[in-house]
Amino acid sequence: CYYLKDRNSEYKKIHLPHDLLVYGYNMRDECFYVIEHNHRESYKFFNTTISYSVIKEAYMGYVHILPYDTHPTYYTYTAKYKPQKQSDEYYKQAYAKLFIEKHVSIIEGLFDIKEFGRQLYQTFECSTISQELEILINCLNVICNIKNVEKYSLQYIFGDYINMTMIETVINNWRFIRNIFVKYNYSRQIKKISLKNIIMRLQQLYEEEKLYYEQLFVQMSIIRKNVL
């Protein structure tokens, strides 16, 4: 990240491991076509270009400055293998079937939201939140990312058949919670009212996610019934 200008919070400030998706190049302009995001708390990606020299500098920085990182320095993907394309109805039925099979486990898993709120309150009471902050933000980023992927999958497979209002509400509430901790990460100050709002939002999230998945279960059951 230290050498990447789009990463405002890390550029020329801090060395961090970071993945880029390089999907093309321009020989004339000597640059790569890249998918990037501009700060580590964000999961909103955008298309950009990065020069050959900057990519090389960033790559060599990773190799020499972060030698403790044991992950591969790059991955390659190919489009040579093209699986047989199924019909739209096939993917709808496959998604609906799997969702119905996992519905009980999904609902049971939502109790973890309540447990998360309880543990979060205890963490603040013990004043140990700073020690766990980076892990917490990373976990919230993963949750927001997964919810966005879930929304995209539903839109792509089912189109207008599925109402996106509920999942958009869920995503917005997770973002609200994440953003409070991101602000705290910079200021190191969090008001009691903010903590109270987080706990309240988590309670709302449990109810909203439960309602969302129950409604989705009804819609998936209708889709399956139409083919059986």
Side-chain angles (χ1 to χ4, degrees):
C1 294
Y2 185 86
Y3 301 100
L4 303 176
K5 292 181 179 179
D6 286 327
R7 299 295 296 248
N8 297 326
S9 57
E10 290 86 32
Y11 179 60
K12 297 297 182 181
K13 298 174 186 174
I14 185 172
H15 294 279
L16 289 174
H18 175 55
D19 293 323
L20 292 172
L21 176 58
V22 178
Y23 63 91
Y25 60 90
N26 186 315
M27 293 290 289
R28 184 191 65 188
D29 296 335
E30 297 187 345
C31 67
F32 290 106
Y33 298 115
V34 174
I35 293 179
E36 169 67 304
H37 61 157
N38 54 15
H39 57 89
R40 58 178 170 169
E41 290 86 14
S42 171
Y43 275 83
K44 289 185 178 180
F45 292 84
F46 56 88
N47 295 302
T48 187
T49 59
I50 301 178
S51 69
Y52 291 169
S53 60
V54 170
I55 288 288
K56 180 180 179 180
E57 192 176 25
Y59 177 80
M60 297 309 296
Y62 176 86
V63 172
H64 295 299
I65 299 173
L66 300 173
Y68 58 84
D69 197 313
T70 58
H71 291 88
T73 56
Y74 67 90
Y75 302 88
T76 60
Y77 302 90
T78 177
K80 291 181 180 179
Y81 170 71
K82 295 183 178 180
Q84 182 180 358
K85 181 174 175 58
Q86 303 288 351
S87 67
D88 292 345
E89 187 60 28
Y90 170 86
Y91 291 113
K92 289 178 183 178
Q93 292 298 328
Y95 191 105
K97 180 176 181 293
L98 183 61
F99 180 85
I100 291 170
E101 290 175 354
K102 301 295 183 180
H103 177 250
V104 173
S105 297
I106 292 171
I107 297 299
E108 289 176 348
L110 296 180
F111 284 104
D112 289 340
I113 297 176
K114 289 185 174 182
E115 177 64 15
F116 173 54
R118 187 186 68 80
Q119 292 185 4
L120 188 62
Y121 185 81
Q122 290 180 345
T123 302
F124 270 97
E125 287 289 295
C126 298
S127 300
T128 59
I129 186 64
S130 297
Q131 302 170 19
E132 309 292 338
L133 194 57
E134 186 171 348
I135 295 174
L136 180 58
I137 291 174
N138 286 337
C139 289
L140 291 169
N141 279 333
V142 169
I143 291 171
C144 290
N145 192 36
I146 290 171
K147 291 298 177 185
N148 281 316
V149 170
E150 182 178 351
K151 177 186 172 184
Y152 172 80
S153 300
L154 289 170
Q155 285 179 320
Y156 186 81
I157 296 172
F158 298 99
D160 295 335
Y161 180 78
I162 302 294
N163 189 330
M164 294 291 119
T165 303
M166 284 297 296
I167 191 170
E168 286 172 353
T169 299
V170 167
I171 291 171
N172 288 335
N173 275 325
W174 279 116
R175 284 176 178 164
F176 172 86
I177 293 171
R178 181 195 63 185
N179 289 343
I180 288 181
F181 287 113
V182 170
K183 290 176 182 177
Y184 174 71
N185 191 35
Y186 289 108
S187 67
R188 294 295 165 171
Q189 292 182 350
I190 191 167
K191 299 177 181 178
K192 285 188 176 181
I193 190 170
S194 296
L195 175 59
K196 184 178 180 181
N197 286 337
I198 291 173
I199 303 301
M200 289 176 60
R201 286 294 180 106
L202 285 170
Q203 180 59 38
Q204 291 176 15
L205 265 168
Y206 170 76
E207 302 296 338
E208 288 166 356
E209 291 228 35
K210 188 169 182 290
L211 178 60
Y212 158 65
Y213 284 116
E214 286 173 346
Q215 291 179 349
L216 195 57
F217 177 78
V218 172
Q219 292 173 307
M220 295 296 123
S221 298
I222 293 172
I223 290 172
R224 291 293 294 162
K225 190 179 293 184
N226 287 341
V227 77
L228 296 177

